[in-house]
C-alpha cells in the first residue's frame, strides 16, 4: 500500500469518525423524541383535523409531519391508515412530504452539520413544499376514486413495523393522555414509598404501568425507528466520505456547473432510497466541495421524500394522478426554493458553513465520544437482530425496481 492510498484511507476514516461524533448525540436524542412523540401524540386527535380538503387541514397535516420520524417507505402505510380513517387526500399528500423529509432526529443531525439556521430552514422549506402540494391536490383531485387497489407490494419489503408491539392490548394507538400519565406516575411513586396505591388506572389502560410505558418509548425509538434508519444512515455517512474525497475542490468553479447542479440533484434524489438523517452527511460533503446550499437543499428534500419504491406504493394506494402531483410538487417547489435561497445568499453576500470537525471543548468531546460509542453499540446490536439484512434487502429491492422500471420504459 502506497503512502498516497494510506493517506486517502486515513482521511476517509477520519471523515467517518468525525461524522459519528457530530451526529451521534443529536441522533440518539432524536430517537428518544421519536418514542415520546409516538406515545404522547394521539392519532385520533390528529385525524380530527385532517378530514377536509381545505387549507386548514393541509397546513395542520404539514405541521404534524415535520417532527414525525418516518422514512419514505414506512410513512406510506401510516398515510394509508389515515386515509382509511377519513383523512382527506390533500392532507395525506402534505403529510407524505413533511414526515420523511424532516423529523426530530434529522433536524438535530442537520444542526450538528450545518448549524441552527439551516436546521430551522430545512423544516420550513419542507412545510412550504407540503402546503403547496396539498393546495395543488385540492385543485386537481376532487372526487376521483382510487385508480388502483393495492395489488403488488413486493417492492416494499418490511415497510411497516411488523415487529411493533402495542403498548395497550387491543389498541393500535399507543397514545397515553396527560391524566393517564399522572395516574401512572402517582402509582409508581406510591409503590416506591411502599404504600398501597389508591389511584385507579382507567379501564382502557389495564395492565399498563410507568415502567412498561418507559420501556415502550425506548423500544419504539431505539428498536423500531432505529431499525428503519441505521443501515441507510451508515450508507449515507460512507457515501458522504466518498464524495468528500472524490470531488475536486473546484467542482463549482464554472457558472454552468452551478446551474447544472440543480437538475443533477433532482436526478440523484428522486430514485435514491435514503432517510432524512442519512442524506444530511452527504449534503454536508457536497456543500464542503462547493455545491451551492440551494442545490444541496434539493437533494435533502427530494432524497427522503421520493424513491421508486415509495412512488410505486403511492400509485397503488392513491392512483397515478395523485402520485404525479406528489412528485411534480416536490420537484418544482424544492427547485424554485433552492434557486431562491442561492440567489438570496448571493445578494446578501452570505455563505453557509459546514461543520465537519468535532468540538475541542472537553465537556462536549466527552458527550460526543460517549454518544458515538453508544451509537456504535446500538448499530451492532440492531444489525445482529436483523436490521442489517432488512436494510440491505430494502436497498436491493429498490434498485431492482428502478432497474425494471428503466427496462420497461426503454422497451416502450
Amino acid at each position: 500500500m502506497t503512502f498516497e492510498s494510506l493517506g486517502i484511507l486515513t482521511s476517509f476514516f477520519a471523515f467517518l469518525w468525525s461524522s459519528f461524533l457530530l451526529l451521534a448525540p443529536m441522533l440518539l436524542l432524536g430517537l428518544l423524541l421519536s418514542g415520546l412523540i409516538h406515545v404522547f401524540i394521539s392519532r385520533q386527535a390528529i385525524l380530527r383535523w385532517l378530514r377536509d380538503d381545505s387549507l386548514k387541514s393541509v397546513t395542520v397535516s404539514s405541521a404534524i409531519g415535520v417532527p414525525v420520524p418516518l422514512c419514505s417507505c414506512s410513512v406510506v402505510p401510516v398515510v394509508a391508515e389515515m386515509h382509511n380513517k377519513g383523512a382527506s387526500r390533500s392532507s395525506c399528500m402534505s403529510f407524505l412530504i413533511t414526515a420523511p423529509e424532516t423529523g426530530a432526529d434529522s433536524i438535530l443531525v442537520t444542526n450538528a452539520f450545518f448549524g441552527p439556521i439551516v436546521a430551522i430552514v430545512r423544516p420550513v422549506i419542507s412545510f412550504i413544499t407540503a402546503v403547496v402540494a396539498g393546495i395543488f391536490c385540492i385543485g386537481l383531485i376532487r372526487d376521483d376514486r382510487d385508480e388502483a387497489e393495492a395489488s403488488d407490494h413486493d417492492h416494499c419489503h418490511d415497510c411497516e413495523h411488523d415487529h411493533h408491539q402495542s403498548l395497550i392490548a387491543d389498541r393500535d394507538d399507543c397514545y397515553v393522555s396527560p391524566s393517564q400519565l399522572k395516574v401512572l406516575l402517582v402509582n409508581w411513586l406510591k409503590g416506591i414509598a411502599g404504600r398501597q396505591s389508591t389511584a385507579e388506572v382507567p379501564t382502557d389502560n389495564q395492565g399498563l404501568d410507568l415502567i412498561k410505558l418507559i420501556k415502550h418509548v425506548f423500544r419504539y425509538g431505539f428498536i423500531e425507528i432505529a431499525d428503519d434508519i441505521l443501515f441507510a444512515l451508515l450508507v449515507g455517512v460512507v457515501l458522504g466520505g466518498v464524495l468528500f474525497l472524490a470531488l475536486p475542490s473546484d467542482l463549482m468553479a464554472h457558472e454552468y456547473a452551478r446551474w447544472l447542479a440543480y437538475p443533477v440533484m433532482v436526478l440523484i434524489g428522486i430514485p435514491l432510497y435514503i432517510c432524512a438523517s442519512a442524506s444530511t452527511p452527504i449534503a454536508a460533503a457536497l456543500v464542503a466541495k462547493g455545491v451551492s446550499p440551494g442545490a444541496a437543499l434539493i437533494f435533502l428534500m427530494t432524497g427522503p421524500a421520493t424513491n421508486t419504491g415509495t412512488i410505486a406504493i403511492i400509485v397503488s394506494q392513491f392512483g397515478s394522478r395523485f402520485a404525479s402531483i406528489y412528485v411534480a410538487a416536490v420537484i418544482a417547489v424544492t427547485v424554485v426554493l433552492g434557486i431562491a435561497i442561492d440567489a438570496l445568499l448571493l445578494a446578501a453576500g452570505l455563505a453557509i458553513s459546514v461543520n465537519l470537525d468535532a468540538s475541542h471543548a472537553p465537556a462536549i468531546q466527552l458527550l460526543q465520544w460517549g454518544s458515538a460509542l453508544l451509537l456504535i453499540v446500538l448499530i451492532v446490536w440492531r444489525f445482529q437482530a436483523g436490521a442489517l439484512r432488512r436494510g440491505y434487502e430494502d436497498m436491493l429491492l429498490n434498485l431492482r425496481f428502478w432497474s425494471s422500471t428503466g427496462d420497461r420504459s426503454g422497451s416502450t
Side-chain angles (χ1 to χ4, degrees):
M1 180 179 293
T2 64
F3 285 108
E4 183 179 358
S5 58
L6 182 60
I8 293 175
L9 280 178
T10 302
S11 299
F12 176 73
F13 285 109
F15 178 91
L16 296 186
W17 182 241
S18 294
S19 298
F20 262 79
L21 291 176
L22 287 169
L23 67 84
M26 299 299 184
L27 182 63
L28 293 177
L29 178 59
L31 293 175
L32 176 61
L33 290 176
S34 303
L36 294 174
I37 290 170
H38 175 68
V39 169
F40 295 116
I41 294 183
S42 168
R43 182 183 303 164
Q44 292 301 322
I46 291 174
L47 291 178
R48 281 200 297 268
W49 291 82
L50 308 181
R51 295 187 183 278
D52 300 325
D53 275 316
S54 65
L55 179 60
K56 176 184 176 182
S57 294
V58 165
T59 303
V60 172
S61 178
S62 302
I64 291 171
V66 168
V68 175
L70 293 172
C71 67
S72 59
C73 191
S74 61
V75 71
V76 179
V78 175
V79 171
E81 179 184 358
M82 290 168 56
H83 186 52
N84 291 335
K85 289 188 176 182
S88 64
R89 282 189 169 193
S90 56
S91 299
C92 290
M93 180 174 291
S94 298
F95 187 85
L96 267 171
I97 292 173
T98 54
E101 281 187 345
T102 60
D105 53 341
S106 62
I107 293 172
L108 292 171
V109 171
T110 303
N111 177 70
F113 280 97
F114 291 97
I117 295 179
V118 178
I120 294 172
V121 170
R122 182 178 184 178
V124 169
I125 296 298
S126 177
F127 176 80
I128 295 173
T129 305
V131 171
V132 172
I135 293 173
F136 272 106
C137 185
I138 294 173
L140 298 177
I141 300 179
R142 300 199 178 270
D143 298 323
D144 296 351
R145 299 295 181 184
D146 287 346
E147 297 174 13
E149 298 297 330
S151 57
D152 182 15
H153 303 281
D154 291 341
H155 49 266
C156 183
H157 179 73
D158 281 339
C159 279
E160 297 187 59
H161 291 299
D162 56 359
H163 53 308
H164 178 66
Q165 296 179 1
S166 297
L167 178 60
I168 302 168
D170 301 325
R171 269 182 51 185
D172 293 332
D173 194 0
C174 299
Y175 171 68
V176 175
S177 68
S179 60
Q180 293 167 336
L181 178 63
K182 179 181 178 181
V183 171
L184 296 177
L185 182 59
V186 168
N187 289 341
W188 179 76
L189 291 175
K190 290 184 176 181
I192 292 293
R195 297 167 54 190
Q196 185 174 359
S197 173
T198 57
E200 293 184 0
V201 179
T203 55
D204 60 346
N205 276 11
Q206 292 298 329
L208 179 63
D209 55 45
L210 187 64
I211 302 302
K212 182 178 179 181
L213 174 64
I214 294 173
K215 288 181 178 179
H216 187 80
V217 168
F218 278 87
R219 172 182 170 79
Y220 186 82
F222 291 92
I223 294 180
E224 298 186 25
I225 295 296
D227 284 359
D228 279 344
I229 71 172
L230 286 180
F231 179 80
L233 181 69
L234 279 183
V235 172
V237 172
V238 171
L239 285 177
V242 171
L243 289 173
F244 183 73
L245 295 176
L247 295 178
S249 299
D250 59 349
L251 179 66
M252 294 289 119
H254 302 287
E255 187 66 25
Y256 72 86
R258 294 180 179 274
W259 286 103
L260 189 61
Y262 300 115
V264 168
M265 290 299 103
V266 171
L267 293 175
I268 294 175
I270 289 296
L272 187 64
Y273 180 77
I274 191 168
C275 68
S277 295
S279 66
T280 307
I282 298 177
L286 291 171
V287 174
K289 287 299 183 178
V291 174
S292 69
L297 175 71
I298 294 172
F299 174 78
L300 282 175
M301 296 293 102
T302 57
T306 60
N307 64 71
T308 51
T310 301
I311 294 170
I313 305 167
I314 293 173
V315 169
S316 67
Q317 290 286 335
F318 295 96
S320 59
R321 192 177 183 187
F322 182 97
S324 299
I325 296 172
Y326 170 77
V327 175
V330 171
I331 295 174
V333 178
T334 54
V335 169
V336 169
L337 291 177
I339 295 175
I341 286 176
D342 282 344
L344 182 62
L345 291 174
L346 184 62
L350 300 176
I352 298 295
S353 60
V354 181
N355 180 25
L356 296 177
D357 297 319
S359 174
H360 297 291
I364 298 180
Q365 277 188 337
L366 180 62
L367 174 64
Q368 290 178 334
W369 275 74
S371 300
L373 293 176
L374 285 176
L375 181 58
I376 291 173
V377 171
L378 177 64
I379 291 172
V380 172
W381 174 44
R382 297 318 307 156
F383 279 8
Q384 288 180 338
L388 174 63
R389 175 184 55 81
R390 289 193 296 270
Y392 179 71
E393 290 175 352
D394 283 345
M395 183 181 68
L396 288 182
L397 286 169
N398 276 279
L399 290 174
R400 290 170 185 163
F401 180 78
W402 173 247
S403 176
S404 63
T405 303
D407 292 342
R408 288 196 297 270
S409 62
S411 62
T412 56

